[in-house]
Amino acid sequence: MANFGQRANFGQAGKATLAIIITNCVLFVLANLIPNLGAYLGLNLLFFDGFFWQILSSFFMHAGIAHLAMNMAVLYQFGSILERFFGSVKFTILYFGLGIFTNLICLIYIFCAYKFMGQNINLIGASGVICALLGVILCYERQNLKSVLAMVALISFAPLLLASNVAWYAHLIGFGAGFGFGKIQQKFKIL
């Protein structure tokens, strides 16, 4: 296989990456205009009452402008790399597939947190699927192992030191899902 970085053609974002970023921004504006929209579009216990769209909609919701800006900047950078590597259609399948898979696993955590600790979690943000993208990239660029692992650890646990509410479990689950997919992709070329 050609060098991932060379084949990815670093530079401008592809159409799918930009469409995902725009969708995130539009939904952020709508969530701030429509009261309680985040409660219906975030991933929470309502999923088990038939709000099945949450498995998809939650990674388009964000808690504030800083949360949105940070996630979209990282998505622009790494989504662009993967879109150039896989192409727009395959990247879109990858993004949504990894996001949905990550959220399905996060549902177990959300359910257990409520059942055993009485916590009612509303999971929002694209960082779980972004960490999944980082996991895929790491499969192709092993020389960046330390920096990618440091980044995932930093965004997962540093906010906790500041008593900030962060879905560290979504980051770790996403990263593991992306890395696992990357290994399968390298072997079987399913995309």
Side-chain angles (χ1 to χ4, degrees), residues 47-147:
F47 176 85
F48 299 106
D49 290 331
F51 290 61
F52 301 125
W53 60 82
Q54 291 182 342
I55 206 74
L56 175 66
S57 62
S58 65
F59 54 89
F60 287 97
M61 303 301 296
H62 289 84
I65 193 73
H67 186 210
L68 175 70
M70 181 176 61
N71 276 348
M72 294 307 99
V74 176
L75 176 58
Y76 179 84
Q77 181 179 2
F78 295 108
S80 300
I81 293 168
L82 285 171
E83 185 173 355
R84 297 225 182 277
F85 184 74
F86 285 109
S88 296
V89 171
K90 290 179 181 179
F91 169 74
T92 302
I93 293 167
L94 177 72
Y95 185 85
F96 285 98
L98 287 173
I100 290 168
F101 181 80
T102 296
N103 276 354
L104 285 171
I105 303 302
C106 286
L107 272 173
I108 297 168
Y109 181 88
I110 290 168
F111 178 79
C112 290
Y114 179 74
K115 181 91 170 158
F116 301 112
M117 296 178 283
Q119 294 179 345
N120 196 359
I121 295 172
N122 186 34
L123 179 64
I124 58 171
S127 52
V129 67
I130 290 169
C131 286
L133 298 180
L134 291 172
V136 174
I137 287 174
L138 187 58
C139 286
Y140 291 93
E141 291 290 320
R142 295 301 295 245
Q143 70 272 18
N144 294 321
L145 175 66
K146 290 179 185 176
S147 60

